Amino acid sequence: MNRHQTRARQRGMAMVIGMIMLVLLTLLVVSAINSSSVNLRITGNMQAQDEARAMAQQAIERVLGVKANFYPTPTAQPATNYHVDNNSTGNAVYSVAVAAPVCKGAAKQFPGRTPDCINGARAGLFCWDTLWEVVATATDTKTGVRQVITQGVAIPFEPGFNPATVSC
């Protein structure tokens, strides 16, 4: 009879241990799901920041491609929509504005590095090496992610450039 009572107690104990194990496994699974969703959100935010930074850099490159954006009057570029996939059907749209370039310094090229600069120097007209600061702000229109990129650039100007007109 003693044996029979021992078996009966063991059956109940197995069920309790099994339930405890199920509860622990459930908690472990719920914790893993929460952790993965947080990591997914972090990764999505990092991607949005990287895309915004790339869109701001792309806008700066477009401004750098046109000397008229710097001289005779530095001009700001109004907010323009940029698409991550470079077409107008993409979902990720960034509004990017580029502030007017700011001249940080100018120095005469002496000696000149091109025939025009050398000949201009002989006539008293020098070529100029200038340093500019360009700032672009990209904002994701859906999430509100915002990145500000500041880039310095050196631009040489031919004879006839007047640094006083751009406050160098």
Side-chain angles (χ1 to χ4, degrees):
M1 184 119 158
N2 232 355
R3 265 179 152 181
H4 183 64
Q5 288 176 348
T6 310
R7 276 190 197 163
R9 275 192 245 150
Q10 286 179 355
R11 282 187 196 155
M13 196 60 148
M15 185 175 83
V16 169
I17 290 174
M19 293 300 288
I20 291 172
M21 292 302 288
L22 281 174
V23 168
L24 288 176
L25 283 173
T26 302
L27 289 174
L28 183 65
V29 167
V30 168
S31 173
I33 289 171
N34 285 338
S35 176
S36 66
S37 67
V38 166
N39 287 339
L40 186 62
R41 277 186 267 153
I42 290 170
T43 303
N45 289 341
M46 288 174 60
Q47 179 180 351
Q49 287 179 344
D50 288 345
E51 287 174 352
R53 191 176 304 113
M55 295 300 101
Q57 188 63 47
Q58 184 179 5
I60 287 174
E61 294 297 328
R62 286 187 181 173
V63 167
L64 295 179
V66 180
K67 268 192 179 178
N69 290 331
F70 296 88
Y71 185 76
T73 304
T75 54
Q77 303 299 313
T80 307
N81 287 338
Y82 284 77
H83 298 270
V84 172
D85 56 3
N86 288 329
N87 66 36
S88 60
T89 61
N91 293 333
V93 177
Y94 292 85
S95 175
V96 184
V98 181
V102 176
C103 185
K104 294 295 188 175
K108 292 178 184 176
Q109 278 186 13
F110 192 77
R113 292 189 290 270
T114 65
D116 286 343
C117 294
I118 293 168
N119 292 333
R122 289 182 186 142
L125 298 171
F126 293 93
C127 288
W128 292 82
D129 289 324
T130 60
L131 296 174
W132 296 82
E133 181 179 88
V134 183
V135 178
T137 304
T139 305
D140 184 347
T141 56
K142 287 185 180 180
T143 64
V145 169
R146 185 173 177 262
Q147 286 288 327
V148 178
I149 301 294
T150 302
Q151 181 171 328
V153 62
I155 300 176
F157 283 98
E158 50 282 333
F161 171 76
N162 183 358
T165 62
V166 290
S167 301
C168 277

